[in-house]
Amino acid sequence: MSDVFVFLAEQPILLLFVLIGTGSLLGHVRVRGVGLGAAAVLFLAIGASAWAAGLGVDLEIPEELGTLGLTLFTFSVGIVSGATFFSSLRRSLGQILAMVGVLVTGAVVAVALGAALHLDPAVTAGAWAGAVTNTPALAAAREAAGDATGPTVGYAVTYLFGVVGMLVAVTAALRHRREDTDAPPALVNRTVRVEAGSSPRIQDLEERYGDRIKFSRVRRGETEPIRTADDGDLLLVDDLVTVVGPAADVDAVTRELGHTSSHHLEVDRWYLDMRRITVSDSRAAGHTIAELDLPHRFGATISRVRRGDVDVVATDDFLLQLGDRVRVIAPRDRMGEVSRWFGDSARGLSDITPIVLGLGMTLGILLGAVAFPVPGRVFSIGSAAGTLVVGLVLGRLGRVGPLVTAMPYTAAQAIAELGLLVFLAQAGSRAGAQIGAAFASGEWVRIVLLGLVVTTTVAAGLYLVMRRLFRTGGTRLAGIMAGAQTQPAVLAFANGRTGYDSRVALGYALVYPAAMITKILLGQVLGGL
């Protein structure tokens, strides 16, 4: 086996893909319905490199590849989450501050227990960084301590349970998925006959229901042609109108206006046609639906938008991205024109928009390298947090002048998954190469105990605070736990268990930047003790 390891050590690219392919294969193995998914790549890399180190072979993937994978991953997560991140930031500030409080508590526990176990403060600082699986925090601790060996030993011993412990916590959180109340509701269509004599305006009704409903078609009386609904339309007695939205809201607006009609306007294609169209032309992407002015441009309207596997109501302020699938209702003779205007090409699903990718990654890496002064020293947030922040901003903007700043959802997901696998393989090979020397230390039992307590404190603290204080749903909590741990393997596990539910990525992106900054600062504080 030594010869095989020597050969792989000389071929780092081959080693990378052996670990990715074999690890992913193992990740598909399920025991009682539970599998590791992409996290299996990390554990395989740790095991293989530790085995090789025992035979005197350094089986480690270059760190530059790991950095490339991690930054591609964080940038893509930011792009995907940017559209919803900032809208949820204000109402989620309490959760971010609570997460910071839990991390600080974990650091206090580490210092107290490390002293009780008679561990060197430098080893304690590294063990804490490993328990919260954060390499930049390890680097900060090593710099502050002026010691490269002690923190590294502590980190290598506690890292493995830092991942496994949080995987267990995420599994516990996902047991409550069925109780989640923040899931995107399924949308329904209904044709309503108007009986209310108050002649309500469509725009007023949509605003009253918080833009959770959309009026798509309207017909005056029994003989008038069906046309697309306009915001300024007044609904008169005996009008027929099609309402789109969550079942509860559609029920409420039906009771307010009249009753469910036996007619189905959406079935009648004589006047209007309906088609799912892919947004692949840059002139449509990066604009809100209101900015497209489809009623006046084509006599058309959009009732729903599908991003990934989720359908949402097409509100006026919804920002379209390349790859979105819009349900367009338009006059039959203009549907072809509408389709050509949006592009309706499969390229809209797969275009990686290299300008955005290149410039966004450049800005993110530069941001991560900026040195921010703090009392007594300076610190940088690192390229991972930098690319995430830039990705969030670009995803939120959607467009800067003629340049579309977002990326198709499917393309971003593919880049994120590839980047994640590359990072996990590199991180595992590095940790495995160090773990043998770490366990050769007579302190390893005490270090393991410290790591177990710190990881459990952080995991249990997040679970209790988010569930009891903020009533966070299990799906979103899984993403928050992965982000607070700054651990892509945990995110990959949560995504695999939930079928890439968008709430997981949003929870991850919500807390990741604050978690990264907090850990770097705490690593410097602990290393300087």
Side-chain angles (χ1 to χ4, degrees), residues 75 352-365 407:
F75 179 73
I352 65 171
T353 52
I355 295 175
V356 174
L357 180 62
L359 295 181
M361 290 283 288
T362 299
L363 291 174
I365 293 169
M407 191 182 295

Short mmCIF file of all heavy atoms in Angstrom, two decimals, residues 75 352-365 407:
data_model
loop_
_atom_site.label_atom_id
_atom_site.label_comp_id
_atom_site.label_asym_id
_atom_site.label_seq_id
_atom_site.Cartn_x
_atom_site.Cartn_y
_atom_site.Cartn_z
N PHE A 75 -18.56 31.99 -2.45
CA PHE A 75 -19.06 32.99 -3.40
C PHE A 75 -20.39 32.54 -4.01
O PHE A 75 -21.34 33.34 -4.12
CB PHE A 75 -18.03 33.22 -4.51
CG PHE A 75 -18.46 34.22 -5.55
CD1 PHE A 75 -18.50 35.57 -5.26
CD2 PHE A 75 -18.83 33.80 -6.82
CE1 PHE A 75 -18.91 36.51 -6.21
CE2 PHE A 75 -19.23 34.71 -7.77
CZ PHE A 75 -19.27 36.07 -7.47
N ILE A 352 -22.35 30.30 -16.54
CA ILE A 352 -21.66 30.63 -15.28
C ILE A 352 -21.31 32.12 -15.19
O ILE A 352 -20.70 32.54 -14.21
CB ILE A 352 -20.38 29.79 -15.09
CG1 ILE A 352 -19.35 30.13 -16.17
CG2 ILE A 352 -20.70 28.31 -15.08
CD1 ILE A 352 -17.99 29.51 -15.92
N THR A 353 -21.70 32.90 -16.21
CA THR A 353 -21.42 34.35 -16.25
C THR A 353 -19.99 34.62 -15.77
O THR A 353 -19.77 35.12 -14.66
CB THR A 353 -22.44 35.14 -15.39
OG1 THR A 353 -22.50 34.57 -14.07
CG2 THR A 353 -23.80 35.10 -16.00
N PRO A 354 -18.99 34.31 -16.62
CA PRO A 354 -17.59 34.38 -16.20
C PRO A 354 -17.14 35.78 -15.77
O PRO A 354 -16.23 35.89 -14.94
CB PRO A 354 -16.82 33.90 -17.44
CG PRO A 354 -17.79 33.98 -18.57
CD PRO A 354 -19.14 33.79 -17.99
N ILE A 355 -17.76 36.83 -16.30
CA ILE A 355 -17.38 38.18 -15.86
C ILE A 355 -17.70 38.35 -14.38
O ILE A 355 -16.88 38.83 -13.59
CB ILE A 355 -18.11 39.25 -16.70
CG1 ILE A 355 -17.67 39.18 -18.16
CG2 ILE A 355 -17.86 40.65 -16.14
CD1 ILE A 355 -18.42 40.12 -19.08
N VAL A 356 -18.91 37.95 -14.01
CA VAL A 356 -19.33 38.06 -12.60
C VAL A 356 -18.47 37.15 -11.73
O VAL A 356 -18.01 37.55 -10.65
CB VAL A 356 -20.81 37.70 -12.46
CG1 VAL A 356 -21.22 37.66 -10.99
CG2 VAL A 356 -21.67 38.69 -13.23
N LEU A 357 -18.23 35.92 -12.19
CA LEU A 357 -17.43 34.98 -11.41
C LEU A 357 -16.02 35.51 -11.19
O LEU A 357 -15.51 35.53 -10.06
CB LEU A 357 -17.38 33.63 -12.12
CG LEU A 357 -16.58 32.52 -11.43
CD1 LEU A 357 -17.18 32.19 -10.08
CD2 LEU A 357 -16.53 31.28 -12.31
N GLY A 358 -15.38 35.98 -12.27
CA GLY A 358 -14.00 36.45 -12.16
C GLY A 358 -13.87 37.71 -11.32
O GLY A 358 -13.06 37.77 -10.38
N LEU A 359 -14.67 38.73 -11.64
CA LEU A 359 -14.57 39.98 -10.91
C LEU A 359 -15.07 39.83 -9.47
O LEU A 359 -14.50 40.42 -8.54
CB LEU A 359 -15.36 41.08 -11.63
CG LEU A 359 -14.83 41.48 -13.01
CD1 LEU A 359 -15.70 42.59 -13.61
CD2 LEU A 359 -13.38 41.95 -12.92
N GLY A 360 -16.12 39.05 -9.27
CA GLY A 360 -16.64 38.85 -7.92
C GLY A 360 -15.64 38.14 -7.03
O GLY A 360 -15.42 38.52 -5.88
N MET A 361 -15.02 37.08 -7.56
CA MET A 361 -14.00 36.36 -6.79
C MET A 361 -12.81 37.27 -6.48
O MET A 361 -12.25 37.25 -5.38
CB MET A 361 -13.55 35.13 -7.55
CG MET A 361 -14.59 34.03 -7.64
SD MET A 361 -14.74 33.09 -6.10
CE MET A 361 -13.21 32.16 -6.14
N THR A 362 -12.43 38.09 -7.47
CA THR A 362 -11.31 39.02 -7.26
C THR A 362 -11.61 39.98 -6.11
O THR A 362 -10.81 40.16 -5.19
CB THR A 362 -11.03 39.81 -8.54
OG1 THR A 362 -10.67 38.91 -9.58
CG2 THR A 362 -9.89 40.81 -8.32
N LEU A 363 -12.79 40.60 -6.16
CA LEU A 363 -13.16 41.55 -5.10
C LEU A 363 -13.25 40.87 -3.74
O LEU A 363 -12.84 41.42 -2.72
CB LEU A 363 -14.50 42.21 -5.47
CG LEU A 363 -14.48 43.17 -6.66
CD1 LEU A 363 -15.91 43.62 -6.99
CD2 LEU A 363 -13.60 44.38 -6.38
N GLY A 364 -13.80 39.65 -3.72
CA GLY A 364 -13.95 38.94 -2.45
C GLY A 364 -12.61 38.58 -1.82
O GLY A 364 -12.41 38.73 -0.62
N ILE A 365 -11.68 38.10 -2.64
CA ILE A 365 -10.37 37.73 -2.12
C ILE A 365 -9.61 38.97 -1.64
O ILE A 365 -8.94 38.94 -0.59
CB ILE A 365 -9.56 36.97 -3.20
CG1 ILE A 365 -10.24 35.61 -3.47
CG2 ILE A 365 -8.12 36.77 -2.77
CD1 ILE A 365 -9.69 34.90 -4.68
N MET A 407 -26.06 35.07 -10.89
CA MET A 407 -25.69 33.88 -11.65
C MET A 407 -26.89 32.94 -11.66
O MET A 407 -27.64 32.91 -10.68
CB MET A 407 -24.49 33.21 -10.98
CG MET A 407 -23.83 32.11 -11.78
SD MET A 407 -22.44 31.36 -10.86
CE MET A 407 -21.32 32.76 -10.79
#
